[in-house]
Amino acid sequence: MPQDPMDFEWSYWIEWGRERILWLLAGHLLVSQTSRLLVEKYKPWCLMVYGMAACWLLLGIKGFAVILLHAAISFAVAQFQLSLLTWLCSLILLSTLRIPAVEETKRKWYDTENEYYLLLFTVSVRCLFCTSFSLEYCWHAPTQKSSHSFPWMLAYVFYYPTFHNGPLVNFDEFSKQMRRQEAFSVKTNLSILIVGIIRIFFWWCLAELMIHLMYIHALYSSALPLESASYWALGGLALAQVLFFYVKYLILYGVPGLLLQMDGLKPPALPCCVSLMHSFTKMWRTFDVGLHRFLVRYIYVPMGGSQSSLLGTLLSTALTFAFVSYWHGGQSYLWYWGALNWLGVIVENGTKRILSISLIQDLI
């Protein structure tokens, strides 16, 4: 039975995974376990060299140079230890991905659109990693200088399991866990690997069944069946789509998450099932945990967050969703999506504040 071809993200990553990425991830696993067994002290540098080689192989010398240049510029700007300047640098680097002349130049480097998109996705995610390192550098004490050096930035930026699509791990977490040396057990790691592969295989089978039997995305791409469907049918289609999105990210984040575990790191929790969510706030906290931690640590809390005045909280939340919308591409529909999510979070938090008033609680 033919599959629904309309979900670009699933088709794209499955194709790349089968061709090269899964093999490169297997190579990372081999290098990681060997270095943990023989040269634990030099594990970060072994993985850094492997990640740089994998980047060069997939993206070519020019793609590798772009990512290295982004890292070097971010590190140079971070030397001023000004958070505002670091954010300005990060936004400028991110904006270069949307300059038509630059886009056209990068397209000419590759034979296919898929190769260009791989560079685009990778650089977008690397921008977040560079931002995380640079802000941690701005905040670190002089005594921590050795753990915030340029080699550590490269080890973080070129860490391969999270290289192309995440999940996002903040530098402070990555550095602490990567520097920690623990007893290595081949038997324990093998059991983690086997159980992880079985779980991911189950999720992949479920996603393939949905793609081959449900045709959710094909239905959404045509106005005629949507116009003739009842509200109940439309609600069912919407639920089916978000459930597939959930299963898809169990795989896209589950594979790198398993490798993080094998490397002795703690990966961000996998997405929470959307059927268990009933609020905007919970969705943002539990679906993409790595992105949520990034947004809270580097945008929401520095801008005042929930500890500031009502206006400050509104501004902090608005800037957080504005960045999410811009990072995802900045198209008009993404701004509407961000604004609606911001409104949902504000209404929920406002309602909680009202319900926490003692008079209202007595009435309830």
Side-chain angles (χ1 to χ4, degrees), residues 104-131:
E104 193 59 35
T105 300
K106 290 177 181 176
R107 274 190 167 91
K108 292 176 181 177
W109 296 348
Y110 302 105
D111 298 327
T112 64
E113 281 285 291
N114 275 1
E115 291 175 295
Y116 164 71
Y117 281 127
L118 185 65
L119 174 66
L120 182 65
F121 297 149
T122 303
V123 174
S124 296
V125 176
R126 292 307 94 198
C127 279
L128 297 184
F129 279 69
C130 288
T131 302

Side-chain angles (χ1 to χ4, degrees), residues 54-130:
C55 171
W56 193 318
L57 179 65
L58 271 190
L59 300 176
I61 180 62
K62 293 178 180 177
F64 171 79
V66 166
I67 295 172
L68 190 61
L69 181 63
H70 275 230
I73 292 172
S74 297
F75 185 78
V77 172
Q79 302 306 301
F80 294 96
Q81 295 191 304
L82 298 171
S83 298
L84 185 60
L85 189 61
T86 291
W87 265 116
L88 182 62
C89 172
S90 298
L91 291 173
I92 290 172
L93 289 175
L94 196 58
S95 68
T96 61
L97 302 180
R98 300 175 181 90
I99 299 173
V102 176
E103 287 183 332
E104 193 59 35
T105 300
K106 290 177 181 176
R107 274 190 167 91
K108 292 176 181 177
W109 296 348
Y110 302 105
D111 298 327
T112 64
E113 281 285 291
N114 275 1
E115 291 175 295
Y116 164 71
Y117 281 127
L118 185 65
L119 174 66
L120 182 65
F121 297 149
T122 303
V123 174
S124 296
V125 176
R126 292 307 94 198
C127 279
L128 297 184
F129 279 69
C130 288

Side-chain angles (χ1 to χ4, degrees), residues 200-250:
I200 291 166
F201 181 72
F202 170 76
W203 296 329
W204 176 77
C205 289
L206 181 58
E208 284 294 316
L209 278 173
M210 296 174 79
I211 280 286
H212 282 83
L213 298 178
M214 298 179 71
Y215 295 93
I216 312 158
H217 304 90
L219 286 169
Y220 268 108
S221 65
S222 177
L224 187 60
L226 296 179
E227 289 172 353
S228 59
S230 67
Y231 290 130
W232 281 105
L234 290 174
L237 280 171
L239 178 60
Q241 188 178 45
V242 295
L243 284 172
F244 177 77
F245 189 77
Y246 159 66
V247 174
K248 176 171 64 177
Y249 269 86
L250 284 179

Side-chain angles (χ1 to χ4, degrees), residues 134-150:
S134 299
L135 288 171
E136 294 294 342
Y137 187 94
C138 291
W139 300 341
H140 84 282
T143 54
Q144 299 173 302
K145 191 172 182 180
S146 62
S147 62
H148 292 73
S149 61
F150 189 60

Side-chain angles (χ1 to χ4, degrees), residues 289-304:
V289 175
L291 180 61
H292 174 259
R293 289 175 180 169
F294 176 92
L295 296 172
V296 169
R297 182 169 177 82
Y298 301 121
I299 302 177
Y300 185 70
V301 171
M303 290 303 299

